[in-house]
């Protein structure tokens, strides 16, 4: 029989069963969820099974998983951080699988407005060159060092107080880190050895400093464009 099992990237508890049985059990879990919509164990099981059965997810399937994750945060608020990270892993797993299926390393990856707390499975993205992960809830760049071929990165509208984690992205040429929480020059030092020629830092506390332009120009010797203005 065909077997339904999570991919090697799966962040959830692995569920393995013959495919026909898996779909029967999914139907049973859905019925149980209708009866006990606030039971976190039922919701978690439903999330695990949905993630396992659908490696490449449709928008509707992703939306359902998102709604279930929000419900988990509501019924079990003490573990909100865990559930948000779980969602991030689920979404990143799907994005990585879809990107690899595309078969072209030059294809950009769009993860904007996905409610992400972190970027996971970066070891699988070593060939990625263009990433948009703007409008999320990132507070750090752990794992970004694996993106050694990255040339364009959009980090705008997150919650970053430092760009530490980008040190290994030597090929990075275009960086948008606007509208974050970068307060001083220390927060951008990690990028000074990158080949950045286009940089946006507007909307950060740092950009309101009187020494901001001079500080940036001194740190990024290859810079041609700052905050949308040619230098």
């Amino acid at each position: 029989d065909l077997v339904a099992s999570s991919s090697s990237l799966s962040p959830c508890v692995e569920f393995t069963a013959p495919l026909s049985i898996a779909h029967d059990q999914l139907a049973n879990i859905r019925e149980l969820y209708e009866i006990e919509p606030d039971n976190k164990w039922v919701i978690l099981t439903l999330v695990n099974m949905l993630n396992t059965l659908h490696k490449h997810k449709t928008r509707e399937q992703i939306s359902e998983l998102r709604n279930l994750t929000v419900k988990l945060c509501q019924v079990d608020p003490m573990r909100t951080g865990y559930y948000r990270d779980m969602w991030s892993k689920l979404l990143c797993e799907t994005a990585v699988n879809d990107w690899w299926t595309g078969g072209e390393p030059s294809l950009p990856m769009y993860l904007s407005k996905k409610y992400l707390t972190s970027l996971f499975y970066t070891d699988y993205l070593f060939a990625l060159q263009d990433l948009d992960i703007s409008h999320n809830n990132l507070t750090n760049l752990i794992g970004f060092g694996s993106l050694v071929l990255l040339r364009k990165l959009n980090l705008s509208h997150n919650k970053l107080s430092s760009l530490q984690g980008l040190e290994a992205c030597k090929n990075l040429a275009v960086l948008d880190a606007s509208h974050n929480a970068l307060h001083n020059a220390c927060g951008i030092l990690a990028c000074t050895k990158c080949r950045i020629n286009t940089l946006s830092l507007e909307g950060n506390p740092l950009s309101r400093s009187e020494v901001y332009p001079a500080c940036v120009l001194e740190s990024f010797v290859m810079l041609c464009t700052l905050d949308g203005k040619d230098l």
Side-chain angles (χ1 to χ4, degrees), residues 26 29-30 33 37 39-40 42-51 60-76 83 86-87 90:
L26 176 60
I29 290 297
R30 286 191 183 281
Y33 176 58
N39 187 319
K40 71 175 183 178
V42 173
I43 303 173
L44 272 172
T45 302
L46 183 54
V47 168
N48 289 338
M49 295 185 70
L50 288 171
N51 184 58
E60 290 74 17
Q61 291 163 346
I62 291 175
S63 179
E64 181 178 13
L65 284 167
R66 175 60 190 167
N67 291 336
L68 289 170
T69 305
V70 171
K71 187 62 177 290
L72 280 168
C73 294
Q74 294 171 347
V75 301
D76 189 16
Y83 297 133
M86 182 186 74
W87 160 254
L90 289 172

Side-chain angles (χ1 to χ4, degrees), residues 58-216:
T58 64
R59 289 185 179 181
E60 290 74 17
Q61 291 163 346
I62 291 175
S63 179
E64 181 178 13
L65 284 167
R66 175 60 190 167
N67 291 336
L68 289 170
T69 305
V70 171
K71 187 62 177 290
L72 280 168
C73 294
Q74 294 171 347
V75 301
D76 189 16
M78 294 294 289
R79 294 175 178 81
T80 294
Y82 170 81
Y83 297 133
R84 288 176 177 171
D85 284 345
M86 182 186 74
W87 160 254
S88 296
K89 290 178 181 179
L90 289 172
L91 198 285
C92 288
E93 177 188 6
T94 298
V96 170
N97 284 331
D98 291 345
W99 183 76
W100 271 105
T101 301
E104 178 53 60
S106 62
L107 287 175
M109 177 176 284
Y110 298 106
L111 292 174
S112 181
K113 299 180 181 179
K114 301 297 185 183
Y115 309 98
L116 300 179
T117 57
S118 294
L119 179 64
F120 293 92
Y121 310 118
T122 54
D123 287 346
Y124 296 89
L125 299 174
F126 58 87
L128 183 64
Q129 298 178 28
D130 185 348
L131 172 63
D132 183 349
I133 194 168
S134 60
H135 293 270
N136 281 293
N137 297 306
L138 302 185
T139 57
N140 64 69
L141 299 174
I142 294 174
F144 277 70
S146 299
L147 310 180
V148 293
L149 297 182
L150 196 64
R151 293 183 54 80
K152 185 177 181 180
L153 176 61
N154 190 343
L155 295 169
S156 65
H157 295 274
N158 275 284
K159 301 176 181 179
L160 297 167
S161 59
S162 170
L163 298 180
Q164 184 175 358
L166 297 181
E167 296 89 338
C169 302
K170 305 296 186 183
N171 294 300
L172 189 61
V174 180
L175 174 62
D176 186 348
S178 60
H179 302 282
N180 274 279
L182 300 169
H183 286 270
N184 51 54
C186 294
I188 63 174
L189 290 179
C191 298
T192 55
K193 294 184 179 180
C194 301
R195 301 176 181 177
I196 295 176
N197 56 55
T198 303
L199 178 65
S200 180
L201 295 172
E202 62 183 344
N204 284 283
L206 168 65
S207 67
R208 296 192 289 271
S209 169
E210 293 182 357
V211 299
Y212 165 64
C215 173
V216 173

